Amino acid sequence: MLDKFKEECAVFGIFNHPEAANMTYLGLYALQHRGQESAGIVASNGKELHLEVDMGLVADIFDAERLLRLPGHLAIGHTRYSTWGESQLKNAQPIAIDYARGSLALAHNGNLVNADHLRQELEAGGSIFRSTMDSEVIVHLIARSDRDRLADRVIDAIEQVRGAYSLAIMGPNELIGVRDPYGFRPLCLGKLRDAYILASETCALDLIEAEYLRDIEPGEVVIINEEGLTSHFPFPKVKLAQCIFEFVYFSRPDSFIFNRSVHEVRKALGHRLAKEAYVGVDIVVPVPDSGVPAALGYAEESGIPFEVGLIRNHYIGRTFIEPQQSIRHFGVKIKLNPIKRLLEGRRVVVIDDSIVRGTTSRKILKMIRQAGAKEVHMRISSPPTTHPCFYGIDTPTRRELIASSHSVEEIRKYITADSLEYLSPEGLLSTVYPNHNDYCTACFTGEYPVEFPWKDRSQVELFEASS
Ligand code: AMP
């Protein structure tokens, strides 16, 4: 078994729009960066739910004909990247079911830490699971609740699960949004004329020209139906643990999450990085696209010119999603190309947001040196990624995370940099100001805010023992 879940997702929901499925399609298109393996939409015409789900990218899965099979005023959607369980169609979302009290559908972003335990209990009681997804546990718990209203059954279910969850749930005439009390993953609320919208990130609202109203609060359940929107806080308050990696890498820079502009935060991280780790060079070059905002900040702060020294081919998928090492190695080359005239004879600092395995940085730095750069330094706008995420970001296993077992100097040698420096944890936290205690930093610190039952006899150990 791996020492982590590998999962990244987006959710979207819309109530009271005549073209709910079309809007959901557009919303998912804007959220594609959060998961590229499968996508799905469930729509309701007030009586029954229709589901269309498939493996692949949103734009490849849905065409006009397929969207016509999704009539109604209410819809939810999901995009997913996961290799936890198998990457099969049965593990794609939303999950739609018919049960004794009607129909419901659910889309989940995040990971539950007690899903295995709950699943065993449910299976012992006769429940039959159709997927290996942790999210299906929530669906079973909702179906088994003895409460009458869907919203109450949802609250009943959520009281039993632990971990990270931003959810869009629907019945035939109702949309429910839930964010876990820690607030791990983002979820926002928008409005488009008479329609309410739930989305993982505000960039989805921008595309459909909806107004951003606010974030769904950590621990909040919003119920949206013909009577309007009501908000509930049924769970005890806990210390917040919003995912800091959403700011570092995962969210789109044009989004506004946890009450801050992602681009602004990333740029400020670059400013801070230049203060902490200045290097006297001729040009600042970002790794596109992930390093661009931080490189702009670094250049502004240091006064060193910003140059687009690497050109990205946008017409290929993100290499990171390719499961095989052989493809990943090839991928960097087909994805990025240096501008030789810019780099020849120059001293360069390359800026990226994070180093995960180290393979991308190594390839890029070699490429820049081959293009004629005289010195190649690297600066990273976050601290070393030392621990895997159990709450919904795809980081590889602990063993594959280069910073889990190598010093900065060893990583410098591996990636062939003349110098390498990371942003300090203090630098990161004070930049995501104002409430820097409100964040989960487990990937940088190993301090996991929600314990997982297997931590002590951890899969980390099992994995390391077997390797
Ligand atoms: P690596 O070669 O594994 O070190 O990959 C580092 C690159 O992956 C950096 O450019 C990061 O921006 C990017 N990255 C970091 N985290 C993730 C993630 N969870 N999914 C995809 N790419 C990522």
Side-chain angles (χ1 to χ4, degrees):
M1 274 224 273
L2 299 180
D3 68 345
K4 67 166 307 292
F5 302 118
K6 298 182 91 176
E7 183 152 43
E8 299 180 334
C9 302
V11 302
F12 185 91
I14 183 163
F15 178 85
N16 203 23
H17 193 287
E19 292 183 49
N22 288 344
M23 293 297 120
T24 304
Y25 165 76
L26 292 170
L28 294 182
Y29 192 77
L31 296 169
Q32 184 76 80
H33 61 288
R34 297 183 71 88
Q36 303 90 31
E37 206 168 75
S38 66
I41 299 176
V42 175
S44 168
N45 55 10
K47 294 190 202 81
E48 36 185 24
L49 309 190
H50 293 96
L51 164 73
E52 291 292 331
V53 66
D54 225 323
M55 305 302 290
L57 298 174
V58 176
D60 297 332
I61 295 172
F62 293 100
D63 54 16
E65 196 189 315
R66 207 155 186 187
L67 286 167
L68 277 176
R69 283 186 239 143
L70 294 165
H73 65 296
L74 163 60
I76 63 170
H78 190 264
T79 67
R80 179 169 202 251
Y81 164 54
S82 168
T83 54
W84 179 251
E86 303 100 279
S87 62
Q88 293 174 357
L89 193 51
K90 68 173 185 179
N91 279 342
Q93 293 194 27
I95 305 171
I97 60 149
D98 293 315
Y99 68 118
R101 289 168 193 258
S103 311
L104 75 91
L106 171 143
H108 173 204
N109 173 209
N111 272 130
L112 305 180
V113 297
N114 65 340
D116 285 355
H117 171 73
L118 289 170
R119 185 180 172 123
Q120 278 161 21
E121 275 185 4
L122 286 161
E123 283 179 335
S127 296
I128 296 168
F129 280 74
R130 68 168 178 85
S131 77
T132 54
M133 281 184 289
D134 59 342
S135 321
E136 200 184 342
V137 166
I138 308 176
V139 175
H140 279 271
L141 292 174
I142 296 172
R144 284 167 67 105
S145 167
D146 55 13
R147 308 291 296 274
D148 286 333
R149 295 187 329 150
L150 175 60
D152 291 329
R153 291 200 297 277
V154 168
I155 292 169
D156 240 13
I158 296 304
E159 275 169 348
Q160 300 171 64
V161 302
R162 298 186 62 238
Y165 48 88
S166 283
L167 302 167
I169 300 171
M170 65 186 271
N173 275 306
E174 194 160 51
L175 174 64
I176 298 173
V178 187
R179 199 162 155 221
D180 69 69
Y182 299 91
F184 278 107
R185 308 258 73 87
L187 187 64
C188 70
L189 179 68
K191 197 138 198 246
L192 178 59
R193 292 182 291 277
D194 295 331
Y196 277 111
I197 296 137
L198 298 169
S200 289
E201 290 181 40
T202 57
C203 62
L205 303 180
D206 295 342
L207 179 59
I208 60 171
E209 297 185 333
E211 181 195 352
Y212 165 59
L213 295 181
R214 62 178 178 86
D215 283 359
I216 303 298
E217 297 292 322
E220 183 178 6
V221 177
V222 290
I223 304 167
I224 303 163
N225 53 31
E226 275 161 8
E227 282 145 38
L229 180 146
T230 52
S231 161
H232 306 260
F233 289 86
F235 315 113
K237 263 205 176 322
V238 295
K239 189 176 168 306
L240 292 189
Q242 302 174 119
C243 169
I244 207 157
F245 206 71
E246 292 273 356
F247 277 137
V248 169
Y249 169 79
F250 198 35
S251 288
R252 244 171 66 162
D254 50 341
S255 285
F256 198 83
I257 60 156
F258 310 149
N259 294 316
R260 288 208 67 184
S261 149
V262 176
H263 177 78
E264 265 173 35
V265 169
R266 286 187 191 156
K267 206 168 159 194
L269 292 173
H271 275 272
R272 175 79 192 217
L273 184 63
K275 284 188 190 145
E276 288 187 9
Y278 174 84
V279 55
V281 290
D282 303 315
I283 49 173
V284 177
V285 171
V287 172
D289 295 324
S290 51
V292 172
L296 282 168
Y298 193 99
E300 260 179 26
E301 186 68 38
S302 63
I304 303 168
F306 172 96
E307 285 286 7
V308 182
L310 294 165
I311 299 301
R312 177 171 170 180
N313 182 335
H314 282 101
Y315 304 98
I316 51 166
R318 295 197 320 191
T319 56
F320 201 84
I321 69 168
E322 299 295 352
Q324 287 160 22
Q325 195 71 4
S326 54
I327 303 175
R328 286 172 44 77
H329 275 279
F330 182 56
V332 179
K333 280 190 198 152
I334 54 170
K335 186 169 155 186
L336 293 172
N337 197 32
I339 301 184
K340 285 203 179 95
R341 289 292 287 268
L342 262 179
L343 300 166
E344 261 164 0
R346 312 295 279 283
R347 295 170 303 161
V348 179
V349 61
V350 180
I351 311 282
D352 206 354
D353 68 288
S354 57
I355 296 179
V356 182
R357 296 177 174 85
T359 43
T360 310
S361 315
R362 184 179 157 92
K363 289 272 165 200
I364 289 171
L365 264 50
K366 283 189 167 173
M367 201 183 259
I368 290 177
R369 223 182 275 280
Q370 274 165 11
K374 205 162 69 183
E375 284 174 32
V376 188
H377 303 267
M378 183 141 212
R379 296 292 180 268
I380 302 295
S381 59
S382 66
T385 309
T386 48
H387 288 74
C389 178
F390 291 94
Y391 312 123
I393 292 278
D394 168 47
T395 42
T397 61
R398 179 149 170 206
R399 202 176 62 125
E400 289 171 288
L401 284 172
I402 190 165
S404 76
S405 54
H406 294 79
S407 66
V408 174
E409 174 55 16
E410 285 168 340
I411 301 170
R412 181 197 70 75
K413 278 194 189 132
Y414 175 72
I415 66 171
T416 71
D418 289 307
S419 75
L420 166 67
E421 284 188 60
Y422 288 85
L423 187 65
S424 67
E426 166 54 24
L428 175 62
L429 285 169
S430 57
T431 306
V432 296
Y433 174 85
N435 300 313
H436 72 239
N437 284 327
D438 291 352
Y439 294 96
C440 171
T441 56
C443 51
F444 303 124
T445 58
E447 285 162 27
Y448 292 100
V450 178
E451 287 291 307
F452 24 95
W454 62 86
K455 196 177 176 195
D456 293 336
R457 50 180 180 82
S458 126
Q459 291 177 16
V460 175
E461 285 163 31
L462 286 177
F463 188 85
E464 282 166 358
S466 68
S467 61

